[in-house]
Amino acid sequence: DTAVSQTPKYLVTQMGNDKSIKCEQNLGHDTMYWYKQDSKKFLKIMFSYNNKELIINETVPNRFSPKSPDKAHLNLHINSLELGDSAVYFCASSQGLAAQFFGPGTRLTVL
Amino acid sequence: GESVGLHLPTLSVQEGDNSIINCAYSNSASDYFIWYKQESGKGPQFIIDIRSNMDKRQGQRVTVLLNKTVKHLSLQIAATQPGDSAVYFCAERYGGATNKLIFGTGTLLAVQP
């Protein structure tokens, strides 16, 4: 199936831990994104990479660090997790400025 | 469950009726708009898009209308089905070299059988 995939789907961890979420797309797109969706369903862009180059970097704590090893992968590493980081994180991809297609999400719960 | 405490604007329609979901966008310079459907526990799913040089675009059972004068976007769903029940988001792109989307707050469409 051609799609955007994320792992893990669920992540439960303690405050202060470091965790990573992985994203892969096999759509052949050149641009990938990370979004955060809070408990009120509000969806906000965090980062975007185009051909492994960071092009959108919103006001996000520097505990969040995206890494793009190649244009089909965009991972999100979070250091020193806080309660407020609990949310659903979505990866998306697009070909340039075209429509973005989203992955299934990773529900992060910080205890 | 996931929706406990969630108070999204809700549109309740009967199966078979037409649905109209409205969205006010914020930036008069936005050049591109998308509607997404998000079912419970899933990621947003692309429905239809429209560029700012158009005022109407039709897909299968869906139509998007754009009124730039009042910065208003609507999604019309014909013959609404139970499978259309979801949260619907509009998104605008502010323009420029990046594909940065700003999402609206979402509308919950509840289809009554």
Side-chain angles (χ1 to χ4, degrees):
Chain A
D1 283 348
T2 52
V4 180
S5 59
Q6 297 178 226
T7 53
K9 186 163 176 64
Y10 299 98
L11 186 52
V12 181
T13 189
Q14 299 285 335
M15 269 196 311
N17 284 350
D18 303 338
K19 290 292 177 186
S20 291
I21 307 172
K22 296 189 174 187
C23 178
E24 177 181 2
Q25 55 92 7
N26 62 7
L27 297 165
H29 290 167
D30 61 3
T31 307
M32 297 183 72
Y33 311 80
W34 277 111
Y35 285 83
K36 179 180 180 180
Q37 187 172 47
D38 64 19
S39 58
K40 292 182 168 54
K41 293 284 195 184
F42 184 63
L43 200 57
K44 192 174 190 309
I45 181 80
M46 299 172 69
F47 302 104
S48 175
Y49 271 76
N50 174 268
N51 281 319
K52 302 197 296 173
E53 181 185 346
L54 182 66
I55 57 170
I56 297 176
N57 186 359
E58 290 294 290
T59 308
V60 175
N62 59 14
R63 299 181 293 103
F64 290 77
S65 53
K67 282 191 172 51
S68 182
D70 55 61
K71 72 176 190 176
H73 295 84
L74 180 63
N75 304 323
L76 182 65
H77 189 75
I78 316 170
N79 288 328
S80 304
L81 278 153
E82 301 178 357
L83 293 176
D85 298 331
S86 295
V88 182
Y89 292 84
F90 288 101
C91 177
S93 73
S94 71
Q95 181 56 33
L97 299 179
Q100 295 175 29
F101 293 86
F102 283 76
T106 296
R107 180 175 291 276
L108 172 65
T109 303
V110 183
L111 304 175
Chain B
E2 189 178 296
S3 62
V4 171
L6 188 60
H7 296 290
L8 287 174
T10 299
L11 175 64
S12 187
V13 300
Q14 290 294 124
E15 182 178 356
D17 286 352
N18 296 334
S19 302
I20 300 177
I21 301 171
N22 295 304
C23 175
Y25 64 91
S26 59
N27 189 345
S28 56
S30 290
D31 65 349
Y32 178 59
F33 305 86
I34 308 180
W35 279 101
Y36 286 93
K37 171 187 180 185
Q38 187 177 22
E39 296 174 273
S40 182
K42 296 186 178 179
Q45 176 190 351
F46 172 88
I47 303 173
I48 192 168
D49 57 2
I50 188 168
R51 301 197 179 280
S52 58
N53 61 355
M54 302 170 71
D55 52 24
K56 180 178 180 178
R57 189 154 189 243
Q58 287 184 284
Q60 189 177 10
R61 279 203 308 121
V62 294
T63 300
V64 55
L65 298 178
L66 175 62
N67 185 332
K68 293 183 288 292
T69 303
V70 294
K71 293 191 287 186
H72 184 267
L73 196 64
S74 68
L75 177 70
Q76 301 177 0
I77 305 173
T80 314
Q81 302 166 0
D84 295 327
S85 294
V87 177
Y88 289 80
F89 293 95
C90 65
E92 62 181 303
R93 185 174 70 196
Y94 275 11
T98 70
N99 203 11
K100 177 179 172 179
L101 293 180
I102 304 299
F103 280 77
T105 51
T107 296
L108 176 62
L109 177 64
V111 182
Q112 311 300 326

